[in-house]
Amino acid sequence: QVQLVESGGGLVQAGGSLRLSCAASGRTFSDYAMGWFRQAPGKEREFVAAISWSGGRTYYVDSVKDRFTISRSNAKNTVYLQMNSLKPEDTAVYYCAAKYSRTVVTTHEYDYWGQGTQVTVSS
């Protein structure tokens, strides 16, 4: 089992920044590819960003490219999502996820999920 706990969400004005963190425990963190997803009210959960086990490969949905950065610290068992130039349409509950994999995983086929953290961007 892998336990994931997100933090760092909150209320921010459009154009502002937030950094989300996801702390993992339970298994060897560096064995897992990590991802961030989000779900807005009335919408399906969507993929946002993913990072490989080593951090050497990353992937983003087009709508966040050049604004969001995913990174990880295997020493701290933590994955991050730096979000800059936030827009109202970024408002959602953000979830981190883990999958036992050596590659970047861009589908929803993750093994473990966190409980989510709310991000609200005001206009």
Side-chain angles (χ1 to χ4, degrees):
Q1 289 285 343
V2 174
Q3 292 78 42
L4 303 171
V5 180
E6 302 97 335
S7 61
L11 174 64
V12 63
Q13 289 188 333
S17 298
L18 283 174
R19 188 175 84 153
L20 305 183
S21 299
C22 173
S25 62
R27 293 285 177 89
T28 303
F29 182 65
S30 58
D31 285 340
Y32 289 80
M34 300 297 296
W36 285 97
F37 292 75
R38 65 187 180 186
Q39 187 167 19
K43 295 188 178 181
E44 294 185 352
R45 189 175 300 187
E46 68 167 344
F47 168 82
V48 175
I51 189 166
S52 62
W53 68 277
S54 67
R57 295 180 63 190
T58 58
Y59 191 85
Y60 301 90
V61 68
D62 286 346
S63 61
V64 308
K65 282 181 180 177
D66 300 324
R67 298 190 298 123
F68 290 11
T69 303
I70 188 171
S71 62
R72 67 188 294 162
S73 168
N74 287 344
K76 295 182 178 180
N77 292 351
T78 302
V79 63
Y80 305 97
L81 186 68
Q82 178 67 44
M83 306 186 295
N84 298 329
S85 302
L86 282 161
K87 304 175 181 180
E89 51 263 44
D90 294 318
T91 295
V93 177
Y94 283 72
Y95 300 88
C96 71
K99 182 173 178 63
Y100 187 78
S101 173
R102 289 285 181 167
T103 65
V104 174
V105 180
T106 61
T107 67
H108 287 66
E109 297 177 351
Y110 278 76
D111 302 318
Y112 303 100
W113 295 82
Q115 82 290 347
T117 186
Q118 176 71 47
V119 171
T120 303
V121 184
S122 64
S123 58

